[in-house]
Amino acid sequence: MQISMTVNGSEFTSEIEPRVLLVHYIREVLGLTGTHWGCDTSNCGTCVVLMDGQPVKSCTVLAAMAAGHDIRTVEGLATGGTLDPVQQGFMEEHGLQCGFCTPGMMLTARALLDKNPHPDDAEIRQAISGQICRCTGYATIVRSVQWAAAHPAGTGWDGADTAVPDVAPETADTDAEVKA
Amino acid sequence: MTVIHDRPSNPAPGDEDRPIGYGRIQRKEDPRFVRGKGHYLDDIVLPGMLHGAILRAPVAHARLVSIDTTNALAHPKVVAVITGKDLLGLKLAWAPTLSADVQAVLVTDKVRFQGQEVAFVVAEDRYAARDALELIEVEYDILPPLVDARKALDPDAPVIRDEIEGRTDNRIFDWEIGDKAETDAVFASADVVVSQEVVYPRVHPAPMETCGAVADFDAVNGKLTLYETTQAPHAHRTLFAIVAGIPEHKIRIVSPDIGGGFGNKVGIYPGYILAVVGSIVSGRPVKWVEDRSENLMSTSFARDYIMQGEIAATKDGKILALRTHVLADHGAFNATAQPTKNPAGFFSIFTGSYDLQAAHCSVTGVYTNKAPGGVAYACSFRVTEAVYLVERMVDVLARKLNMDPAELRLKNFIRPEQFPYANKTGWVYDSGNYAAALRLSMELAGYEDLRREQAEKRERGELMGIGVAFFTEVVGAGPRKHFDIVGLGMADGAELRVHPTGKAVVRISVQSQGQGHETTFAQIVAEELGIPPEDIDVVHGDTDQTPFGLGTYGSRSTPVSGGAVALVARKVREKAKLIAGAMLETRPEDLEWEKGRWFVKGDPGAGKTIAEIAMGAHGTVALPEGVDGNLDAEVTYDPPNLTFPFGAYICVVDVDPGTGQVKVRRFIAVDDCGTRINPMIIEGQVHGGLTDGVGMALMEIIEFDEAGNCLAGSFMDYLIPTAMEVPDWETGFTVTPSPHHPIGAKGIGESATVGSPPAIVNAVVDALAPLGVTHMDMPCTPARVWAAMQGRARPPI
């Protein structure tokens, strides 16, 4: 069947089998491999993307069901080369280690902050409770989201001039540092 | 890279933190991960790549009668179906394990655990490969399974490994250490002896990314490139040379970004070998990625130790001796990943942090109809089990003597002046100041106030528990004369090149799975050479590009590879001194080092920076005799001993008297891993390990029913803590450097996983003490705690 959807602001049209999961469509058809797949029972949330601004587990959505919808993945979090405050927050507060849960966590955090710009720690924990992280023990993820809440985009923090000096060259403007 | 100058990591009284190499800097790994530009195994796509899927056994123990692959082969997208019979022809049906046993790659004679590999389909896409699994017809003749390790040695127990000639039972090994007669004598004359069966149930490391491989066999050049989720790429290369018969120089193992390992990704799984066979058979690259159920059911489990603990003491609380017998359930194949001479890993560290007169332990390993494994999940080679046993037993003794558990520990610690301390089972602990760490932990916790609060709550019938655990870890295997894995000595190489413009690349033999090696190894070089960390790239995970070494597990990266990196940087520094001498036209012995620069003694203005020296080394400077140009070096580091980090953990729990639900209210962790390279990364390692502890103590278990069905084959049943089940961790530290390590650093990664379960269980038992509970086994789920509250505590299956 033919489907069309908007992913990170661009329109994509593809011929797919009806049974193809959105996570596989994003990863394998569109080549956006930042979205991960960590379980087969819809528990882990490493596949979370935003569908019309709401976090969904893309392993539990058929690509066909996402047709006509607006999808945002981790690759679409930064805008115009500027990191989303959530991305910056995860780096500032060491909210990631292996990085496998990170894309899903950040998208959930983005959706939370869009709805509730000043969540308390309990609200953050509740928001990410559908997602498992094996490395961080969550406390630094909570701190990362709080960092992002304290540095909203468009309120003085523009992604280049952070509260902490000396932004890395590699955080400034390039997507080219994929490890061989 | 952001250098954060003024954010203390763990403000603590008596702060002696002297992190090295710029200390708490942000990670070099993060920019790619936060953009979704990491490069994990399943992100790899090669031209013409096929997809493999494994058909798995639905039963635990059964003769294989027949396999019919006709319908699967007729599927239009299927390229090949491989069975055990095919592998027999290739002599690949069985593969050696890391414990000198063999493991079936595909079943040829009988199934030995549920989820075992039976056939391998290679197809054009991953959906078709799964479709074809449904088209394979297998006939099984079901046999009685052996599930309960306690019955493994019964005369009528089914013999699981009947393919081994002459084998008539399920005993894998008997191993012991310590002086039995001496220990028995101490026990015979002791005032007080307590004993307790302590079970560490089967759990699973469950990394978020499962295991997988992409095999690419180039038939023209005879070269195999194998991308794998492996923690030990070099060891895998050697093992693949042995298993597959491909010459080792024709094998390149690439370990890309790994989505967590936690010991799950040390060994070689049948899927990796099948991907290679699939690529050889099809002439195309083959990807195999397991799903979560496969990961939980068939890859390396952890623990499964049934321990009979005994402790002898004087009536005023001086601990005299420890003894234990362990029944170890290893599953159907002994694939435990550990040094060759240590069939029970480093369980012999079970004497803990205490100065004993005698100790003895014996371990019996048995086969059962379960997946293989044992050593995984941040265990440091069975140190989790050892620490859990001794820390549970000390609490049992404290209860018996009616002593405060912290006081009892303080009374029995090995004292600072006793280090290096030779324990009764052959370890020489490098350094420690135990009382200082425990006192700091008690101070951070407000221990006295907590005990007062508990007393008040008990008056009201509320169940509050305070758990104390103190551990001594043993990490950094190890001296090659004592430690090897399948004959490969446990040393690690490092190679450092400083480019003409002063930027550096350091190549290491270990493999990060999130521990931040790309950052911290650059920090070590930065400390030694004065090159900023952002100017140093760390290369790991590609056997064609990195020096040989044994990989990352057992918290060995900092102790072994970290030592190698410090030494290789010092070697470069010494070479730079000779070149600087030539450039400054002075004798090298007249030069003095300040970070990043050699200068003439007494004339600080006359000097050359590392970058200037690097340019000279690559340029036209007349080099001194014996200096071969370029600013580079390589070393292999054979550590003189392991490192012995330690920690003092205090856990506060509240137990709901109506439901038995345990809530971890606070957790205070004081760790000492010697010199701290990056406090931010250490804190993250500790947080992750503490969460493992909450999982194991309260939620996680892999059980089997009588038919041998695995009851925790997915995240529906295998429960892992979310942000809701864990508290905001409270951490602190002391610094007691390792005297033998080049930068005084000890390993840390597994400490919290090792130390936290006994603190939590001790807290739960402490909470239940008013109800007469003296012990309960993990996991302390509401149902199991409720049973304990009713006087019906039972061991897990």
Side-chain angles (χ1 to χ4, degrees):
Chain A
M1 64 184 293
Q2 196 181 63
I3 59 162
S4 295
M5 69 180 80
T6 308
V7 180
N8 301 330
S10 302
E11 188 80 12
F12 291 91
T13 300
S14 313
E15 192 66 36
I16 59 155
E17 285 186 63
R19 65 173 173 170
V20 169
L21 300 173
L22 180 59
V23 64
H24 289 140
Y25 177 74
I26 291 169
R27 288 179 51 81
E28 294 178 11
V29 179
L30 304 185
L32 297 172
T33 54
T35 302
H36 296 142
W37 187 57
C39 76
D40 44 17
T41 47
S42 200
N43 296 87
C44 83
T46 58
C47 63
V48 164
V49 299
L50 302 185
M51 186 153 108
D52 305 326
Q54 291 299 314
V56 296
K57 289 176 174 172
S58 63
C59 76
T60 315
V61 177
L62 295 169
M65 293 161 66
H69 291 273
D70 182 54
I71 303 295
R72 198 168 169 203
T73 71
V74 62
E75 291 88 349
L77 255 182
T79 47
T82 302
L83 291 183
D84 188 281
V86 167
Q87 291 171 302
Q88 191 71 32
F90 272 69
M91 296 200 295
E92 297 288 346
E93 297 294 345
H94 192 32
L96 69 153
Q97 292 178 28
C98 82
F100 204 76
C101 78
T102 312
M105 288 287 183
M106 293 191 305
L107 287 160
T108 296
R110 173 40 52 219
L112 170 69
L113 293 177
D114 286 348
K115 207 166 51 186
N116 177 2
H118 300 290
D120 62 26
D121 286 1
E123 287 168 327
I124 295 169
R125 286 178 181 271
Q126 177 88 38
I128 61 169
S129 65
Q131 289 165 274
I132 298 172
C133 169
R134 295 296 275 153
C135 297
T136 65
Y138 304 105
T140 56
I141 292 180
V142 174
R143 291 182 208 162
S144 301
V145 180
Q146 291 292 18
W147 190 98
H151 299 81
T155 57
W157 181 77
D158 63 5
D161 176 25
T162 72
V164 184
D166 305 327
V167 170
E170 62 264 48
T171 63
D173 60 2
T174 173
D175 268 356
E177 66 283 21
V178 176
K179 190 186 162 200
Chain B
M1 176 161 309
T2 304
V3 180
I4 303 169
H5 299 284
D6 54 358
R7 232 190 319 183
S9 58
N10 296 307
D15 188 346
E16 289 178 21
D17 199 16
R18 287 159 298 162
I20 69 160
Y22 299 70
R24 176 186 272 258
I25 60 168
Q26 272 185 15
R27 298 202 322 159
K28 293 157 83 78
E29 294 90 339
D30 290 356
R32 67 177 187 271
F33 291 153
V34 300
R35 286 180 171 81
K37 298 290 185 186
H39 202 53
Y40 302 90
L41 190 278
D42 200 14
D43 303 344
I44 294 169
V45 178
L46 300 179
M49 188 177 77
L50 299 168
H51 293 261
I54 293 173
L55 181 72
R56 294 180 180 276
V59 293
H61 201 192
R63 285 271 155 227
L64 180 67
V65 179
S66 66
I67 305 183
D68 184 349
T69 60
T70 317
N71 292 338
L73 279 166
H75 188 291
K77 286 189 170 178
V78 167
V79 175
V81 180
I82 295 158
T83 65
K85 209 184 218 174
D86 302 323
L87 294 187
L88 279 174
L90 297 166
K91 295 195 165 56
L92 284 175
W94 295 81
T97 69
L98 298 178
S99 287
D101 193 357
V102 290
Q103 173 172 2
V105 178
L106 289 177
V107 170
T108 53
D109 54 346
K110 69 175 186 178
V111 170
R112 291 176 175 82
F113 67 91
Q114 189 185 47
Q116 193 182 341
E117 299 80 1
V118 176
F120 187 63
V121 169
V122 180
E124 296 287 347
D125 68 61
R126 83 169 72 222
Y127 283 62
R130 292 287 169 133
D131 287 345
L133 295 183
E134 308 282 327
L135 301 173
I136 300 172
E137 287 173 29
V138 187
E139 196 187 331
Y140 298 103
D141 182 7
I142 295 182
L143 301 168
L146 170 63
V147 177
D148 185 350
R150 297 169 207 261
K151 295 178 182 161
L153 299 175
D154 288 357
D156 59 345
V159 177
I160 295 166
R161 297 298 297 282
D162 53 356
E163 93 286 359
I164 302 172
E165 206 175 307
R167 180 165 273 287
T168 56
D169 67 11
N170 296 307
R171 187 186 302 271
I172 306 173
F173 66 85
D174 285 303
W175 176 84
E176 65 175 320
I177 198 159
D179 189 324
K180 187 170 191 309
E182 187 185 18
T183 307
D184 290 349
V186 174
F187 269 85
S189 62
D191 300 342
V192 182
V193 171
V194 290
S195 40
Q196 177 65 52
E197 182 190 87
V198 175
V199 178
Y200 211 137
R202 179 174 283 232
V203 290
H204 195 282
M208 290 317 300
E209 179 203 31
T210 60
C211 300
V214 178
D216 184 10
F217 184 72
D218 171 354
V220 174
N221 296 304
K223 177 135 187 172
L224 171 68
T225 303
L226 181 59
Y227 304 85
E228 275 188 306
T229 49
T230 175
Q231 299 177 217
H234 288 277
H236 274 216
R237 185 186 68 200
T238 305
L239 286 167
F240 263 96
I242 294 164
V243 172
I246 301 170
E248 196 167 355
H249 65 300
K250 294 288 189 185
I251 302 175
R252 176 185 172 209
I253 306 279
V254 180
S255 190
D257 287 329
I258 297 184
F262 312 109
N264 192 223
K265 295 167 178 170
V266 176
I268 293 181
Y269 293 119
Y272 303 168
I273 299 171
L274 291 168
V276 172
V277 174
S279 183
I280 292 172
V281 166
S282 67
R284 292 162 65 179
V286 171
K287 176 187 280 185
W288 167 75
V289 178
E290 68 189 1
D291 65 29
R292 176 57 54 193
S293 305
E294 295 178 283
N295 177 257
L296 287 170
M297 289 176 71
S298 72
T299 65
S300 184
F301 74 91
R303 324 292 188 254
D304 220 341
Y305 260 31
I306 300 169
M307 305 178 276
Q308 282 293 341
E310 286 185 286
I311 196 162
T314 64
K315 55 184 177 303
D316 56 351
K318 176 70 195 143
I319 301 173
L320 304 173
L322 263 163
R323 67 184 173 197
T324 185
H325 176 72
V326 178
L327 180 62
D329 185 341
H330 282 235
F333 309 103
N334 188 21
T336 312
Q338 67 210 344
T340 307
K341 293 166 198 154
N342 303 76
F346 300 164
F347 185 78
S348 53
I349 197 82
F350 83 118
T351 57
S353 313
Y354 310 105
D355 184 19
L356 303 180
Q357 292 177 7
H360 178 260
C361 75
S362 57
V363 181
T364 298
V366 296
Y367 291 120
T368 57
N369 285 116
K370 301 174 190 173
V375 167
Y377 208 170
C379 75
S380 309
F381 305 121
R382 302 290 189 185
V383 181
T384 34
E385 291 90 325
V387 164
Y388 183 63
L389 177 78
V390 62
E391 288 307 290
R392 201 68 271 296
M393 291 310 300
V394 169
D395 256 38
V396 169
L397 176 66
R399 183 82 58 210
K400 170 90 173 181
L401 297 174
N402 200 23
M403 277 183 76
D404 180 273
E407 191 188 319
L408 179 59
R409 285 173 172 83
L410 285 166
K411 192 181 176 84
N412 285 284
F413 280 150
I414 301 162
R415 296 183 309 280
E417 65 273 17
Q418 289 178 283
F419 293 91
Y421 175 83
N423 85 337
K424 292 293 178 185
T425 55
W427 297 104
V428 179
Y429 296 16
D430 58 351
S431 63
N433 188 347
Y434 295 166
L438 182 51
R439 291 217 167 87
L440 174 59
S441 190
M442 292 168 75
E443 191 180 322
L444 293 173
Y447 189 76
E448 299 306 324
D449 289 344
L450 284 172
R451 286 289 176 202
R452 270 192 292 277
E453 180 191 348
Q454 181 184 42
E456 288 163 17
K457 286 197 163 154
R458 281 186 175 165
E459 293 285 316
R460 299 197 293 269
E462 292 175 42
L463 301 176
M464 171 186 165
I466 304 160
V468 178
F470 194 97
F471 64 89
T472 298
E473 256 271 40
V474 50
V475 298
R480 67 203 311 167
K481 69 177 173 184
H482 298 304
F483 301 103
D484 69 273
I485 290 204
V486 290
L488 302 170
M490 298 185 79
D492 277 88
E495 185 195 309
L496 176 62
R497 298 180 193 167
V498 184
H499 294 326
T501 54
K503 315 292 182 187
V505 173
V506 61
R507 297 166 192 276
I508 58 175
S509 57
V510 293
Q511 171 61 36
S512 178
Q513 314 118 48
Q515 300 94 329
H517 292 166
E518 289 171 38
T519 305
T520 51
F521 281 86
Q523 291 184 254
I524 296 173
V525 175
E527 176 76 9
E528 298 294 337
L529 286 184
I531 299 173
E534 58 266 33
D535 289 344
I536 303 162
D537 252 15
V538 178
V539 176
H540 61 123
D542 182 338
T543 57
D544 273 6
Q545 290 200 47
T546 54
F548 188 87
L550 270 272
T552 295
Y553 42 83
S555 298
R556 64 187 299 282
S557 293
T558 295
V560 192
S561 191
V565 166
L567 294 182
V568 81
R570 285 173 197 173
K571 206 167 166 182
V572 163
R573 195 167 72 202
E574 288 310 303
K575 185 171 179 180
K577 183 182 189 180
L578 301 179
I579 297 165
M583 295 172 81
L584 294 164
E585 296 178 344
T586 184
R587 295 182 312 167
E589 50 269 40
D590 292 336
L591 295 176
E592 210 164 317
W593 173 256
E594 66 177 346
K595 200 178 265 191
R597 184 172 174 271
W598 284 109
F599 67 94
V600 180
K601 274 179 205 164
D603 184 9
K608 293 288 177 191
T609 65
I610 278 288
E612 289 165 341
I613 297 166
M615 189 59 89
H618 290 86
T620 56
V621 169
L623 296 170
E625 187 82 15
V627 175
D628 56 3
N630 298 355
L631 192 52
D632 54 13
E634 51 184 283
V635 301
T636 301
Y637 180 58
D638 181 19
N641 190 4
L642 289 85
T643 65
F644 297 74
F646 54 91
Y649 289 1
I650 295 175
C651 175
V652 183
V653 302
D654 295 305
V655 178
D656 186 325
T659 65
Q661 186 177 18
V662 177
K663 175 86 183 162
V664 178
R665 192 208 314 166
R666 289 182 65 199
F667 200 106
I668 298 91
V670 169
D671 276 276
D672 188 326
C673 59
T675 304
R676 291 148 55 86
I677 300 164
N678 185 323
M680 176 189 83
I681 284 178
I682 290 170
E683 184 190 35
Q685 292 286 294
V686 171
H687 285 187
L690 298 175
T691 306
D692 292 346
V694 169
M696 289 183 284
L698 303 184
M699 302 161 75
E700 300 174 25
I701 183 168
I702 296 185
E703 287 181 289
F704 294 81
D705 68 12
E706 285 180 4
N709 292 305
C710 177
L711 300 181
S714 82
F715 280 166
M716 301 299 280
D717 302 294
Y718 192 76
L719 303 179
I720 287 171
T722 71
M724 304 299 282
E725 283 82 39
V726 297
D728 206 354
W729 309 108
E730 300 167 60
T731 56
F733 64 90
T734 56
V735 178
T736 311
S738 173
H740 64 75
H741 188 271
I743 58 170
K746 305 182 183 185
I748 177 74
E750 296 168 317
S751 284
T753 312
V754 164
S756 55
I760 300 166
V761 175
N762 285 349
V764 172
V765 174
D766 186 50
L768 303 183
L771 305 174
V773 174
T774 54
H775 175 74
M776 78 167 289
D777 287 311
M778 298 184 278
C780 302
T781 60
R784 292 177 50 78
V785 172
W786 178 258
M789 289 164 70
Q790 315 307 314
R792 290 184 278 106
R794 61 168 177 84
I797 294 170

